[in-house]
């Protein structure tokens, strides 16, 4: 797989979206339950998931209403586990004009999977989402952005399984995830089985370092000026920025799970201010699904 790794590094800065067009960005949602986050794996085993109180439907509907108020559309990366239990939620996302994409089956990080197990996850999730919506699933995002250096085989499997783009290579250095040599704007990847477009989460470059600024905990826990600056810089480069959020991040009333305080601080910190920060972003910038940029890049090649 050395060839793929070489192409990932070589292609990274190559093709941000070139021609000047009205600025827009990607609003993306990782549709998962509050108890499915990777930080809770040691405390809420998958065998207990079915017995946990579900919150994802109400909070996803709140995000859908927020997008509708601002005339925005986005991409929802849905777990297959969620789709099997709440097919009506997936159908409603599609009915409201948003893109449905895959987040894998059960939020297993790619770092914990064999290639065969990863293939089963991305194929199974793609199949169920397509059966619900009747539309082709084009995109994938790995749980916890867990396609890291050394796991480029996962990108080639995505090509083989019919995906057109991936949004997993976070170009940062961080314990647990990150692909430091990846590009900061949308770019093409040449894989052994074909081509794949990469849609990386947005970063802000300062002093030669890429700072994560794409959403999630970075939106909840850090000053909102960080994300606004990252989006503004992306517009200067004429490149759409990709931001993300989880439904549980606007749910301050979610059940509390007994976890060590550092984990609790990262998960529960800032929940009460997330919705207002999202409203401010939606009122300031234009947001479209990732598939919009995908179509542009394919048309330009």
């Amino acid at each position: 797989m050395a060839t793929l790794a070489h192409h990932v590094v070589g292609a990274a800065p190559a093709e941000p979206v070139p021609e000047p067009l009205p600025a827009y960005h990607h609003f993306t949602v990782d549709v998962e339950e509050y108890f499915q986050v990777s930080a809770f794996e040691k405390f809420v085993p998958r065998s207990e998931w079915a017995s946990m109180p579900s919150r994802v439907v109400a909070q996803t509907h709140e995000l859908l209403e927020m997008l509708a108020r601002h005339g925005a559309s986005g991409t929802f990366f849905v777990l297959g586990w969620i789709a099997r239990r709440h097919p009506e939620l997936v159908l409603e996302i599609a009915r409201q004009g948003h893109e449905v994409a895959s987040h894998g089956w059960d939020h297993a990080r790619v770092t914990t999977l064999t290639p065969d197990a990863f293939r089963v996850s991305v194929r199974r999730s793609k199949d169920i989402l397509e059966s619900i919506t009747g539309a082709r699933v084009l995109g994938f995002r790995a749980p916890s952005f867990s396609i890291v250096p050394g796991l480029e085989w996962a990108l080639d499997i995505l090509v083989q399984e019919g995906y057109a783009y991936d949004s997993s290579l976070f170009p940062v250095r961080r314990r647990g995830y990150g692909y430091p040599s990846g590009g900061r704007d949308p770019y093409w990847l040449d894989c052994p089985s074909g081509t794949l477009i990469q849609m990386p989460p947005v970063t802000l470059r300062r002093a030669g370092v890429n700072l994560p600024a794409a959403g999630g905990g970075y939106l909840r826990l850090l000053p909102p000026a960080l994300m606004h600056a990252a989006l503004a810089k992306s517009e200067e480069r004429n490149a759409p920025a990709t931001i993300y959020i989880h439904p549980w991040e606007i749910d301050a009333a979610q059940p509390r799970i007994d976890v060590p305080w550092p984990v609790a601080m990262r998960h529960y910190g800032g929940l009460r201010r997330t919705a207002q920060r999202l409203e401010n972003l939606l009122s300031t910038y234009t947001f479209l699904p990732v598939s919009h940029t995908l179509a542009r890049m394919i048309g330009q090649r």
Side-chain angles (χ1 to χ4, degrees):
M1 302 305 292
T3 302
L4 176 57
H6 170 76
H7 281 294
V8 170
V9 175
E15 296 192 39
V17 184
E19 82 252 10
L21 287 171
Y24 70 91
H25 303 291
H26 304 142
F27 188 100
T28 70
V29 182
D30 292 352
V31 183
E32 61 196 57
E33 294 276 11
Y34 63 96
F35 52 79
Q36 294 177 315
V37 298
S38 297
F40 287 177
E41 284 180 343
K42 296 179 181 178
F43 311 101
V44 187
R46 284 175 172 78
S47 60
E48 296 180 6
W49 282 5
S51 64
M52 298 289 289
S54 176
R55 309 276 294 184
V56 71
V57 173
Q59 304 311 325
T60 302
H61 275 289
E62 187 172 336
L63 287 171
L64 289 170
E65 292 166 6
M66 192 181 299
L67 290 167
R69 282 197 298 274
H70 294 276
S73 55
T75 296
F76 287 68
F77 293 93
V78 185
L79 287 179
W81 192 94
I82 296 290
R84 186 172 66 180
R85 285 159 178 79
H86 304 289
E88 74 291 341
L89 178 62
V90 178
L91 194 56
E92 184 60 25
I93 291 168
R95 281 175 178 163
Q96 293 196 27
H98 304 288
E99 178 189 9
V100 173
S102 170
H103 199 33
W105 185 259
D106 63 354
H107 213 260
R109 288 170 293 169
V110 183
T111 51
T112 69
L113 298 175
T114 64
D116 286 345
F118 178 73
R119 186 185 300 277
V120 169
S121 175
V122 300
R123 178 182 294 177
R124 192 180 178 197
S125 59
K126 190 174 191 289
D127 285 348
I128 193 170
L129 294 171
E130 291 180 343
S131 70
I132 293 169
T133 64
R136 182 185 169 198
V137 167
L138 301 171
F140 173 78
R141 174 175 290 157
S144 301
F145 303 103
S146 54
I147 298 180
V148 298
L151 300 186
E152 290 84 5
W153 51 260
L155 300 168
D156 196 47
I157 288 174
L158 291 176
V159 175
Q160 295 168 10
E161 293 300 319
Y163 289 88
Y165 75 85
D166 171 66
S167 185
S168 306
L169 304 190
F170 209 154
V172 297
R173 294 185 184 277
R174 186 187 183 280
R175 183 179 179 182
Y177 67 75
Y179 203 95
S181 64
R184 299 175 59 218
D185 300 324
Y187 59 95
W188 288 89
L189 290 172
D190 292 320
C191 304
S193 299
T195 57
L196 187 72
I197 292 176
Q198 183 59 220
M199 305 288 188
V202 68
T203 57
L204 181 65
R205 192 160 182 82
R206 288 288 185 266
V209 176
N210 292 341
L211 303 177
Y218 306 112
L219 175 65
R220 290 184 287 113
L221 301 174
L222 299 178
L226 178 69
M227 182 178 286
H228 284 273
L231 268 63
K233 285 294 184 182
S234 293
E235 291 184 359
E236 289 179 9
R237 300 192 301 274
N238 190 40
T242 299
I243 70 170
Y244 69 94
I245 199 71
H246 305 86
W248 58 262
E249 291 185 285
I250 59 170
D251 184 11
Q254 65 188 266
R256 268 15 183 205
I257 294 171
D258 186 15
V259 295
W261 72 265
V263 177
M265 181 183 69
R266 288 196 302 272
H267 184 87
Y268 299 116
L271 292 178
R272 295 187 184 279
R273 58 180 174 242
T274 310
Q276 186 56 57
R277 290 185 173 186
L278 288 176
E279 295 274 10
N280 291 340
L281 285 165
L282 289 166
S283 65
T284 305
Y285 306 95
T286 298
F287 288 98
L288 296 172
V290 178
S291 56
H292 183 81
T293 298
L294 175 73
R296 285 179 55 193
M297 292 181 70
I298 291 174
Q300 292 164 2
R301 200 170 209 204

